[in-house]
Amino acid sequence: MIMEEIFLEGFKQFPKSALLALMYAQYLEAYASSANNEDPEAFVSKAKLLKPPFDVRFFLFYQDRVYEQSKQTEGLNSSTLNISSYVEFQTMQNGARQYHLATLIELRSFMAHIRSAQRGKDPQTYPVFVQRISENLKCYCVCTLRFSCK
């Protein structure tokens, strides 16, 4: 290709140019065919060894981060969360919001009941409040167990 000939001539004229090595690495990554056996990362490493100026060092640093991120995300292209799991998660998340509000209301009612003058009914009513609160908390447990971070 003509671009490879241009880069080859550039390497002949400027063998110590770190910027040229970096540009060639970016060219290989973006436009070179898979038949080309040259590794873009090798040219980035070569550019680092040429003692580049500050601005080229910044671009080399940036290119290293791009390579690092592309290596980290290689396996992430195939999604592990299918549509049904996503819908299930959304439903559980909406339910968790509703149960969260209901739990806060029950806790407020429970605390108001404790502070009130109806102390004679306390033994009969405490289990009702505790049961309502524990039912609301079950959604949290299901949601965190089903979709926990691994």
Side-chain angles (χ1 to χ4, degrees), residues 1-12 20 24 27-28 31-33 36 38:
M1 289 183 106
I2 191 161
M3 283 304 295
E4 291 175 0
E5 292 175 16
I6 292 172
F7 277 112
L8 184 61
E9 187 62 33
F11 285 126
K12 286 180 186 176
L20 183 62
Y24 188 59
Y27 164 76
L28 286 175
Y31 301 108
S33 64
N36 193 341
E38 294 179 304

Side-chain angles (χ1 to χ4, degrees), residues 43-122:
F43 283 93
V44 171
S45 298
K46 177 185 172 186
K48 288 180 189 176
L49 297 175
L50 295 173
K51 297 182 181 179
F54 176 75
D55 57 341
V56 177
R57 282 195 314 253
F58 171 76
F59 288 118
L60 288 169
F61 171 79
Y62 171 77
Q63 193 64 33
D64 276 342
R65 298 291 84 71
V66 169
Y67 288 146
E68 185 178 312
Q69 286 180 351
S70 65
K71 285 179 183 176
Q72 290 176 353
T73 60
E74 280 177 355
L76 296 178
N77 289 340
S78 60
S79 177
T80 57
L81 186 68
N82 58 21
I83 297 297
S84 62
S85 295
Y86 177 74
V87 170
E88 179 185 3
F89 176 75
Q90 288 294 334
T91 303
M92 292 178 81
Q93 186 179 20
N94 291 337
R97 285 186 187 124
Q98 293 171 352
Y99 287 128
H100 178 73
L101 182 60
T103 301
L104 292 176
I105 291 170
E106 286 295 329
L107 284 171
R108 185 180 66 188
S109 300
F110 182 58
M111 295 307 290
H113 179 73
I114 289 175
R115 285 189 218 135
S116 71
Q118 299 176 356
R119 302 262 178 202
K121 296 183 178 181
D122 285 349

Side-chain angles (χ1 to χ4, degrees), residues 125-140:
T125 56
Y126 283 176
V128 173
F129 284 108
V130 172
Q131 180 183 5
R132 289 181 194 157
I133 292 169
S134 66
E135 286 173 2
N136 292 337
L137 293 175
K138 286 179 186 176
C139 183
Y140 295 126

